Amino acid sequence: MAELGGLEGENVTVIDGRGRCAIPGLVDCHTHACFAGDRVGEFDLRSGGATYEELHAAGGGILSTVRATRAAGEAGLRAAVERHRQSMLAAGTTTFEAKSGYGLDRKTELAMLRAIAAEGGVPTWLGAHAVPPEFGGADAYLDFALAEVLPEAARLAEAADVFLERGAFDATRARRYLEACARAGLTLRLHADQFTEGGGIPLAIELGARSVDHLEATRPDGVRQLAASDVCGVLLPVAALFLGRPMPPARALIDAGAIVALATDFNPGSAFCESLPVVCSLACTQLGMTPAEALAACTVNAAYVLGRADRLGRLEPGFMADVVLLDAPDWRYLAYHLGGQHVTLVIARGSVAWDRDAPGRRPAGA
Ligand code: NIG
Ligand code: FE
C-alpha cells in the first residue's frame, strides 16, 4: 500500500477489508440465464422417478421453457436476466456467459442475445439446443436456423453452442451447425457427453472449439483426447447432481493435463442454481478437486473459455479490478462451507457492485 501512489485527488473509495479474504471475481462461463417461467412441476415429476430425457421426448423439458420464453417479450427477458444477474453477483460472479436456445425462432433467439448483452452478459448463440415442434426434423430446423438466424446471431453473439445428444443433435448435424457458425466468425462450444458419448470430443478438437461442456459420460479415451488438446473441458457438477447423473471425470482430466473449468449451467431444468461457491463445494467433495483447483477453474480457466484470460480471473496489475471479499478466516471457506454465504462485497470493473451490508441492497434470489 505504501508504494501505491498517485491516487490523491482521484475519485477513490477506501474499502476496509481487514479480516476478510480477497479472491478474484468469479467467472461463470456456462449459464442459460435468459429464460421465462420455471420447471418446478417437472422437478416434482422427476423427484417421483420420471427422467429428464423422458420429459424431453414427451415435449416437456427444454421445449416447455421455449414456450414460456417465446411468450415473454424482449423486455420480460431482459428483466429475467437482470434478476438472475443480481443473484449471481451476490454469490461473487462478476462475469457471466449466457446462452440463447429457448427461442428457437428468429425473433426470440435474437431477443435473447440482445437481452443478455444488455445486462452485461457474454452472449452465446445456442441455436441448436432442441428441434422445435413446428419443424419436421433436425435437418429442416437447421436449414432455417443457419439461413435465417445465423447472419444476425453472428453479429450479436461471441460464440455458438450445440446440444450434441441423443434426442437433440447428432455429430453429423452438430458438425454442420458448428462449421457454418465458424465461417460466420463465432467461437465454438459444445454440450456433449451429458448422457451418452456421441463423438463430441473428437469433433470439438477437429473444429478447434474453445470448450466441450458436461462430460458426465466421457470415458478414458475421451479423457486422453481432450487432455492432448487445448479445448477446455467445462464441468457442471450441479447438473449431474440435479439430474442424479454420474459426476464428470474431473480428476482423470486434470491428472492427464486437460484444461478444466467449472460453471453453474444455471437453467430452469437441469441446474437451478446460480452459485459458483456451491459449484466449488461440489468440485471438492464430488469431483476430487482441491480448493485451489476449483478456484482456478471458475476464475482464470473460465476466463480462457470466454477469450478473456488476458484481463479477467486474476488479482494482478493490468487485469480488471474484479474482487470478491469473503468474511471468512480462510479463502477455502468458499468451497468448504457448503451453502455458506461468505460473499460480503463484490467489486466489478473497479466499482462496488454488491454490498451485503448496504441498506437497500437487492436480496439474493429476488
Ligand atoms: O446444459 N443439456 C442441455 N441443455 C441444458 C439444460 C437446458 C434445460 O433443461 O432447460 C444443460 O443441462
Ligand atoms: Fe448447459
Side-chain angles (χ1 to χ4, degrees):
M1 292 304 290
E3 294 163 17
L4 188 68
L7 296 178
E8 297 80 12
E10 304 222 9
N11 186 13
V12 172
T13 306
V14 176
I15 293 165
D16 187 348
R18 276 176 295 189
R20 296 177 174 185
C21 299
I23 58 168
L26 304 178
V27 178
D28 199 342
C29 67
H30 180 142
T31 86
H32 303 253
C34 185
F35 62 87
D38 64 34
R39 304 248 285 281
V40 65
E42 179 185 302
F43 178 77
D44 192 331
L45 291 174
R46 282 198 300 103
S47 71
T51 71
Y52 181 81
E53 284 185 287
E54 282 163 9
L55 292 161
H56 181 69
I62 292 169
L63 292 174
S64 88
T65 300
V66 168
R67 288 189 286 276
T69 303
R70 285 179 177 177
E74 188 162 339
L77 292 176
R78 189 166 166 181
V81 181
E82 150 71 4
R83 204 165 64 243
H84 303 315
R85 185 179 74 87
Q86 289 296 335
S87 299
M88 292 191 255
L89 203 52
T93 296
T94 49
T95 303
F96 71 100
E97 178 262 14
K99 305 170 195 298
S100 68
Y102 292 129
L104 307 178
D105 63 16
R106 184 172 196 280
K107 183 167 155 246
T108 317
E109 283 294 305
L110 299 178
M112 291 181 78
L113 294 173
R114 283 192 297 266
I116 292 161
E119 290 304 324
V122 179
T124 297
W125 184 45
L126 179 50
H129 196 192
V131 178
E134 62 272 24
F135 289 90
D139 292 318
Y141 170 68
L142 287 182
D143 289 345
F144 155 79
L146 295 177
E148 304 295 328
V149 190
L150 172 59
E152 184 62 17
R155 278 188 278 275
L156 298 170
E158 295 192 12
D161 198 343
V162 56
F163 186 21
L164 199 179
E165 189 55 69
R166 179 173 72 189
F169 297 88
D170 63 17
T172 305
R173 293 179 176 115
R175 171 190 292 279
R176 178 184 171 207
Y177 172 80
L178 292 171
E179 284 180 343
C181 291
R183 282 194 297 273
L186 291 166
T187 297
L188 304 183
R189 305 186 56 181
L190 293 83
H191 281 68
D193 293 2
Q194 183 178 10
F195 300 99
T196 52
E197 255 189 332
I201 288 177
L203 184 63
I205 295 168
E206 184 196 329
L207 299 182
R210 183 65 57 70
S211 76
V212 53
D213 305 34
H214 273 294
L215 308 181
E216 290 93 316
T218 301
R219 287 177 295 185
D221 272 353
V223 169
R224 274 191 291 276
Q225 290 166 12
L226 198 59
S229 78
D230 60 5
V231 180
C232 183
V234 178
L235 309 182
L236 311 164
V238 171
L241 184 76
F242 213 77
L243 298 184
R245 304 288 308 167
M247 289 288 160
R251 196 66 258 157
L253 284 164
I254 295 171
D255 290 345
I259 308 168
V260 165
L262 287 166
T264 59
D265 196 20
F266 174 61
N267 75 75
S270 69
F272 197 48
C273 172
E274 304 91 333
S275 170
L276 281 170
V278 166
V279 170
C280 288
S281 290
L282 293 177
C284 296
T285 59
Q286 309 300 310
L287 299 185
M289 294 172 70
T290 66
E293 287 169 340
L295 183 62
C298 60
T299 52
V300 279
N301 290 4
Y304 168 78
V305 173
L306 299 184
R308 288 161 167 78
D310 59 340
R311 54 195 188 279
L312 295 182
R314 295 174 190 266
L315 296 178
E316 213 173 278
F319 278 59
M320 292 291 175
D322 292 346
V323 186
V324 173
L325 292 187
L326 306 173
D327 67 350
D330 185 302
W331 68 268
R332 292 171 295 186
Y333 270 56
L334 183 75
Y336 167 48
H337 193 169
L338 177 55
Q341 311 254 314
H342 292 285
V343 172
T344 55
L345 192 85
V346 180
I347 299 163
R349 315 300 188 256
S351 298
V352 174
W354 193 80
D355 182 349
R356 194 176 72 183
D357 303 322
R361 72 177 172 83
R362 199 188 282 258

